[in-house]
Amino acid sequence: MTKPSQRTHGRRRLAVSLPSGRRTLHFEPKAPAKAQCARCGRELHGVPTSKPKAYARSSRAPGRPYGGVLCPNCLSAEIRSLVRASGSAT
Ligand SMILES: [Zn+2]
């Protein structure tokens, strides 16, 4: 029996058939959301959907600056704007 505190809508409900033929509800944690770009909100590829603690060594976020935070388009636009801003100041 699930703890009453775990029977919430914050958990995914799974209808499970038991070997005896009865059907019960199992309450499982919801899957983490996919990583999104912090600037445009696009889905990021190459970033695992598990929580960072559970990352396997081979499936970590890209190692470049802002890897796992910004998409490639936004990163190049951000770098360009930074370079242009620093170029005008000097
Ligand atoms: Zn983006």
Side-chain angles (χ1 to χ4, degrees):
M1 182 69 184
T2 315
K3 281 198 286 185
S5 64
Q6 292 179 345
R7 298 175 66 88
T8 66
H9 284 282
R11 287 177 168 254
R12 191 167 60 111
R13 288 163 180 246
L14 260 186
V16 175
S17 315
L18 299 179
S20 64
R22 273 182 57 209
R23 284 168 63 82
T24 57
L25 276 181
H26 281 194
F27 293 80
E28 309 237 320
K30 281 184 179 172
K34 288 180 178 168
Q36 292 178 322
C37 173
R39 197 162 170 243
C40 68
R42 247 178 61 185
E43 184 186 316
L44 292 179
H45 298 284
V47 181
T49 54
S50 56
K51 293 185 175 172
K53 200 176 174 185
Y55 284 179
R57 188 159 201 208
S58 61
S59 61
R60 281 184 294 194
R64 65 170 181 267
Y66 297 102
V69 178
L70 292 178
C71 71
N73 291 344
C74 290
L75 177 60
S76 72
E78 198 69 28
I79 289 173
R80 281 195 184 118
S81 72
L82 283 174
V83 167
R84 283 172 186 159
S86 67
S88 64
T90 53

